[in-house]
Amino acid sequence: MLGTAVLTGCQAKDGKDDKADRSGPAVAATTQPVDPGTTASVTRPAEVPTGKAKPTASAPSTSVPSERPPAAASPHKLRPAARAGDLARLLDGGPTDVPVDPGEVRSPANNVLVAAYGATGAGPRSVLFVGVDGMTGIDGKRMEHMVRGMVEYVNGSGGSVPDGVTMKGYDPGPLGGTLECMPASVAQPAAICGWADQDTTAVAYFEQLSADRAAAKFKAMRADLER
């Protein structure tokens, strides 16, 4: 069972590259950059502005991973679904960069999917999603790393994730694994959610949704994004 995560703010480090701090134990020192040519769908959102305080995180999770149903014989992959849950993928005005380092990826084993979704395909954005497949087991360290990266992205893009928030476990649904969410704003409803299972790890930022509502939305989207 994965442990409880508490995300806190931390100080920027004398102008040095803090990538090692953000990846923490989630990524080996030999982490390779994402190769867009080997991914099913990698688009590029704006980079995080520099000069912001960088958050840190301990390993997520309060939820108990559930087993993959016996019927799921082959590994599941992430798919760039045109619709996920009741949301449409944004083709114009979507991400233009990979906002969250997904950790170590290897070609052709891993596929990285970056996508934005909204009520309509024309926007505005409701959800920013980053996921990686090709896992060989539930990877709590990678999920921690990706959640921490999404916190940094949100704070660097004008948001304000509260200090000391805790990831809460939710029903992951029929795909199993673990699904967790936490509040991601002090001024209005927003949430960051993550999932991890035997085949995939993913994180998403939900604008204008509480953590409880985002968890339900993420579970519904997952059924379309992971197949």
Side-chain angles (χ1 to χ4, degrees):
M1 181 170 72
L2 302 177
T4 300
V6 177
L7 295 172
T8 60
C10 75
Q11 300 297 319
K13 294 189 175 86
D14 301 326
K16 294 182 181 179
D17 187 351
D18 65 339
K19 182 175 181 180
D21 290 341
R22 289 188 283 117
S23 60
V27 188
T30 56
T31 296
Q32 301 177 3
V34 176
D35 178 2
T38 65
T39 61
S41 176
V42 177
T43 50
R44 312 238 167 227
E47 295 182 356
V48 178
T50 59
K52 297 285 187 179
K54 309 299 183 189
T56 59
S58 57
S61 130
T62 59
S63 63
V64 178
S66 59
E67 295 296 328
R68 176 63 58 88
S74 60
H76 285 197
K77 297 290 186 180
L78 294 176
R79 312 293 184 185
R83 295 195 66 83
D86 60 352
L87 300 177
R89 188 178 180 192
L90 305 184
L91 300 180
D92 294 326
T96 58
D97 202 348
V98 181
V100 174
D101 177 5
E104 184 177 17
V105 293
R106 297 180 181 276
S107 176
N110 303 115
N111 167 62
V112 177
L113 174 63
V114 181
Y117 288 85
T120 69
R125 186 185 77 188
S126 299
V127 182
L128 176 62
F129 174 91
V130 181
V132 58
D133 62 24
M135 304 293 99
T136 57
I138 296 176
D139 192 341
K141 291 294 185 180
R142 187 183 296 260
M143 180 175 160
E144 169 199 348
H145 173 64
M146 293 175 68
V147 168
R148 186 170 58 227
M150 186 63 83
V151 170
E152 180 180 349
Y153 171 79
V154 171
N155 285 340
S157 300
S160 181
V161 179
D163 291 339
V165 292
T166 302
M167 294 290 281
K168 176 183 175 182
Y170 294 88
D171 175 18
L175 290 170
T178 181
L179 190 156
E180 303 164 31
C181 296
M182 69 178 188
S185 176
V186 296
Q188 62 187 17
I192 292 173
C193 295
W195 85 55
D197 61 29
Q198 295 291 335
D199 303 321
T200 67
T201 307
V203 65
Y205 173 56
F206 291 80
E207 301 183 32
Q208 300 181 348
L209 285 182
S210 67
D212 290 349
R213 292 182 62 198
K217 181 78 70 176
F218 206 28
K219 182 169 71 172
M221 294 178 67
R222 187 180 175 196
D224 294 316
L225 291 168
E226 181 183 358
R227 292 176 177 269

